Amino acid sequence: MNIVLFLEQSFDPHAGGAQRSTSKLAEIFKYFGHNVVLISSSNKPSVVTSWLDIPIYHINTKKDKLLFKQILDEKNISVILNNAGESMTSTKFLLNNKANNIKIINLLRINPSNFYDNHKDYIGLFFSKRNLGFLNNFIVRKLWLAYHILRIRNEFNYIINNTEAFVMLSDRFKEDLYSLAPGLRKYHNKIYGITNPFECPKINIQQTIAEKENIILFVGRLHIVQKRVDLLMEVWKKLHETFPEWKFWVVGFGDSKSMMENYCLQNKLDRVTFFGKDNPNDYYKKAKIFHMTSAFEGFGNVLIEAQSYGCVPILFNSYSAAPDIVTDKINGILVDPFNIDRYVNETKALINNSERLNKMALNAYENVSRFSYEKTYEKWVAVFKSMH
């Protein structure tokens, strides 16, 4: 089968989110014998590059619609995977510029209830950045939320009705979607949950666990609304004095970095290191515990990445897919959102019981096999078969 993976942004296999997940899907489909083409929407003049012998077409979708159609025709494409699954713009572009025999699968890379569950924070931040805090009141938030729900219902109904399949990152997201838009239940047979794929690194896990240092690690975007890095710092502050031999490492970048650095200065937290954006694998390998305090996630790739190096995750059970990755008290710890004291106590208990920590590290490593390329591909085959 000839497959196009379509991205709204530029393709970067080392970036997070949709780009990295897209690169893994490209690898999987190519490995199992499919011809794969990557098409990246761009505002710049169209160019062609390649990655792992997979052609990447950077197309100006506003100016080069004929080039897009030409690629689909020359490559004899049968399926397009749209990684901007919630985008009406991308969906309509694909529908209007493909041949009738080409099928479209839209992928939703976020939890459909993200905005609904966290609308107060989103709206507050929106008005705060524009110095319009006086508009952040109950009535405005309710009106905005009502508009959001109406838009979700209308747009998702159009998208799912006019495409062959709609894939989210978890089966648990289906009920989140239906709670916002009950009318979408009629498309139940077209809606799937497929987790992001992950291939376990080839390491000696026993040796890796034995060589770990007393490090708690965070990897991700330094952002308050989603990642709640403010709570992350509160947790470390409570651990800092109790465990003077432990360090806290932060890998990532974002607009809250200066706030976090100032917090460290104000509270004399002198064992925190900010490494910026970097390949996290060597950090996972050295750290014993992984902290994540997110209010929401699409899936949480970093959790599986951490587990793959025996780095035990502790996180808030704050989004539907969290239990898909972490089995509480077995290969990680789920904490009631957003109970800081409980989070701190769970971390303390783990640090004080090295035997339990090492056992959970081994369990975490073994858990990763559930997300292998082979098992992920089996789920995609079921979607492909359903379209015939």
Side-chain angles (χ1 to χ4, degrees), residues 123 127 132-144:
I123 295 171
F127 286 131
L132 297 171
F134 64 94
L135 290 175
N136 183 19
N137 57 63
F138 178 80
I139 295 175
V140 170
R141 289 196 298 269
K142 285 299 179 184
L143 289 172
W144 196 330

Side-chain angles (χ1 to χ4, degrees), residues 75 93 95 108 133 135 162 172 247 275 342 366 371:
K75 299 293 184 180
F93 170 80
L95 287 169
L108 186 67
L135 290 175
N162 287 283
R172 298 174 191 266
K247 295 176 285 189
F275 291 93
R342 171 83 189 283
E366 293 174 347
F371 306 98

